[in-house]
Amino acid sequence: MVIGKEIDIHPSKGIVIRYKGAFDLDSLYKSVKSWFSANSYDYYEKENTEKTKPQGNSVILKMNGVKDVDDYVEFRIDAIFEEILRIKKLEKGHHGEVRAIIKAVMVLDYRSSWKSYPFLFHLYNNIILKRKIHNYYWPRIYDDMMDLNSLIKSKLNMVE
Amino acid sequence: MKIKIDLLKEQKIKFEGVTDFGELYKYLKLWLGDNGYANERNLEQRYIERIKGDKKQYEIFWHGEKKKSDFFKYNIDVAFLILGLADVEVEQNGVKRKMQKASYEFKVSSYLESTPAWDNLKGFQRIYYNLIMRKRINDYLGELYDKSAKFHSYIKELLGLRD
C-alpha cells in the first residue's frame, strides 16, 4: 500500500452504528465531547442542529477532534450523529433512533512543509517513516477510534 | 507576509423551534461587547430583513475583532440565517409571552490575523519578530480557541441546545 498524505483508518464508509431504543442523549453528547478532551484532541463541533417536531425532536451532531501528535503527524476523528430521530423524553433519558458514523484519518505533513517536494515526501513516507507509521502511529489512532466506538455503543446500551 | 490562521470554521448551530429572538440578538451582542469584540462601527456588517407573507426572514453578519498586540488581532464572525419567523404566544410559568417560532441558523468562525504593522515588517526586524512571535502565536491560538468555543457554547445555551 502506497502511503499518501491522508490515511483512512476507518472502513470505507466509516464505522456505522444504528440503534433504536432507550438511551440518554445528554449523557451521550457529554461523554463524547469529554472523550475528545480527555484524549488530548482539540474539539470542534461542525454542526449542532435540533428540530422541534410533533413526532419527537430530531438532532444532528457533527463532532470532531484534531490531535497534533508531533510536528509531522496529526490525527483527526469524527463522530457524526447523522440523524437522531423521533426523540421522546422518558422519565430517565430518551427514546429515539440513532445513526452514527465514526471516522478516523491520519494526516502526514499537516503543516505542508513538504508541499514543494512531492517526490521526497513520497520517499520519506514510504521508506524512512513507513515502519513508524505502521507500528507506532497507526495502532494509536486505531485504538482511539475503537475506544470512541466502544464509548458510543456503551452509551447506547449496545453490546460492545 | 500576512498571517491568517483559522480556528473555528463556520461551525453550524441550527434550531427549529420557539425562542425570544430579540433577547437572543441582544444577549449575543452584549457577549461580544463584554468580551471586547464588538465595535459599534463595524460589528454589524449586514442586516437584511425580508417580509414573506406573514413571516420574516433575516440575514445578519457580524464581524467581531479584538486587538491582541501591535501585530495580531482576534476575530470572531457569526452569520445568522433566520427563516420563517413568526410571532407566537407562549405561556411560561402562568405568564403569556410573545416569542418567535423560526428556523434559526448560526455559523461561527474564528481566526487569528496579523495587523498591517506585522505585514510591513522588513529585513532583520521581520526575522527578529518572527523568532519571538512563533511561540506567542501558539498562546494566542489557545486563548482565541477558548474564547470562541465559549461564544459557540453561549449560543447553544441561549437556544436551549445541548452543550
Side-chain angles (χ1 to χ4, degrees):
Chain A
M1 189 187 78
V2 179
I3 299 170
K5 189 170 171 64
E6 294 193 359
I7 304 166
D8 286 348
I9 309 300
H10 55 265
S12 61
K13 289 181 179 172
I15 299 177
V16 182
I17 300 169
R18 281 174 173 276
Y19 174 78
K20 184 179 177 180
F23 64 102
D24 187 336
L25 181 54
D26 299 322
S27 166
L28 171 70
Y29 174 80
K30 280 195 177 130
S31 306
V32 174
K33 195 173 168 180
S34 315
W35 183 90
F36 282 112
S37 46
N39 287 278
S40 310
Y41 283 82
D42 287 335
Y43 173 73
Y44 297 94
E45 205 168 271
K46 282 183 191 164
E47 185 173 346
N48 185 330
T49 296
E50 178 145 7
K51 295 179 185 174
T52 315
K53 291 181 177 174
Q55 68 271 31
N57 287 8
S58 70
V59 167
I60 299 170
L61 295 167
K62 293 183 181 170
M63 309 163 91
N64 78 312
V66 178
K67 175 156 83 178
D68 297 345
V69 185
D70 50 37
D71 286 347
Y72 192 72
V73 177
E74 184 177 83
F75 292 170
R76 292 182 191 166
I77 295 190
D78 291 339
I80 303 161
F81 295 88
E82 279 194 331
E83 45 188 20
I84 306 177
L85 299 172
R86 288 177 268 281
I87 303 167
K88 294 265 174 16
K89 187 118 180 88
L90 303 175
E91 205 170 295
K92 199 180 168 193
H94 303 85
H95 185 281
E97 293 168 35
V98 181
R99 181 182 147 85
I101 296 175
I102 301 169
K103 288 182 177 176
V105 176
M106 189 194 316
V107 183
L108 305 177
D109 186 33
Y110 64 94
R111 291 182 175 165
S112 299
S113 313
W114 294 70
K115 200 178 172 184
S116 316
Y117 316 101
F119 182 65
L120 290 177
F121 175 68
H122 176 83
L123 288 184
Y124 183 62
N125 292 334
N126 288 278
I127 297 172
I128 300 170
L129 204 66
K130 189 175 180 180
R131 189 182 289 260
K132 193 174 179 188
I133 288 171
H134 286 295
N135 298 339
Y136 179 78
Y137 295 119
W138 202 91
R140 270 164 184 74
I141 185 170
Y142 180 79
D143 285 349
D144 282 352
M145 178 179 75
M146 295 316 286
D147 190 38
L148 182 62
N149 177 41
S150 298
L151 174 78
I152 293 174
K153 287 203 285 184
S154 75
K155 288 288 164 189
L156 291 172
N157 309 315
M158 295 169 88
V159 179
E160 288 171 57
Chain B
M1 199 176 74
K2 196 172 171 64
I3 296 178
K4 185 177 179 249
I5 304 171
D6 289 317
L7 278 170
L8 307 191
K9 279 191 206 167
E10 296 199 333
Q11 297 212 354
K12 184 168 140 185
I13 300 169
K14 193 171 173 184
F15 171 67
E16 284 184 11
V18 178
T19 190
D20 187 332
F21 176 53
E23 212 163 71
L24 178 75
Y25 179 89
K26 188 174 79 187
Y27 283 133
L28 291 180
K29 205 171 196 178
L30 279 174
W31 190 98
L32 288 171
D34 292 346
N35 287 277
Y37 287 85
N39 173 345
E40 272 304 322
R41 267 194 222 161
N42 64 6
L43 177 72
E44 194 155 84
Q45 305 212 332
R46 190 166 65 236
Y47 186 103
I48 302 168
E49 180 183 318
R50 291 193 179 93
I51 298 173
K52 298 199 167 181
D54 55 348
K55 291 181 176 172
K56 287 178 184 171
Q57 181 178 319
Y58 291 89
E59 282 172 48
I60 300 167
F61 182 79
W62 289 351
H63 170 70
E65 64 178 51
K66 183 179 182 175
K67 194 178 169 191
K68 186 59 197 170
S69 67
D70 286 343
F71 296 132
F72 286 94
K73 61 180 181 180
Y74 294 166
N75 298 274
I76 298 181
D77 291 349
V78 51
F80 300 53
L81 178 64
I82 294 143
L83 301 174
L85 184 135
D87 286 339
V88 288
E89 218 163 58
V90 178
E91 201 170 305
Q92 280 186 334
N93 306 322
V95 182
K96 280 188 178 171
R97 273 184 74 184
K98 199 182 353 173
M99 295 177 95
Q100 289 72 38
K101 185 178 181 190
S103 161
Y104 298 89
E105 186 180 303
F106 301 84
K107 282 185 180 165
V108 181
S109 305
S110 64
Y111 52 96
L112 179 74
E113 200 180 22
S114 56
T115 62
W118 173 271
D119 307 339
N120 294 332
L121 283 177
K122 286 190 176 75
F124 283 116
Q125 239 183 349
R126 168 172 289 276
I127 296 166
Y128 173 69
Y129 280 112
N130 243 321
L131 289 171
I132 295 177
M133 294 308 284
R134 203 172 286 172
K135 277 183 190 168
R136 212 167 288 171
I137 285 174
N138 275 336
D139 298 338
Y140 289 165
L141 288 173
E143 195 181 4
L144 179 58
Y145 172 82
D146 288 345
K147 211 33 122 181
S148 44
K150 270 184 194 155
F151 181 61
H152 186 260
S153 293
Y154 187 60
I155 299 175
K156 288 190 279 178
E157 186 191 318
L158 290 175
L159 291 168
L161 296 177
R162 253 158 228 103
D163 185 42

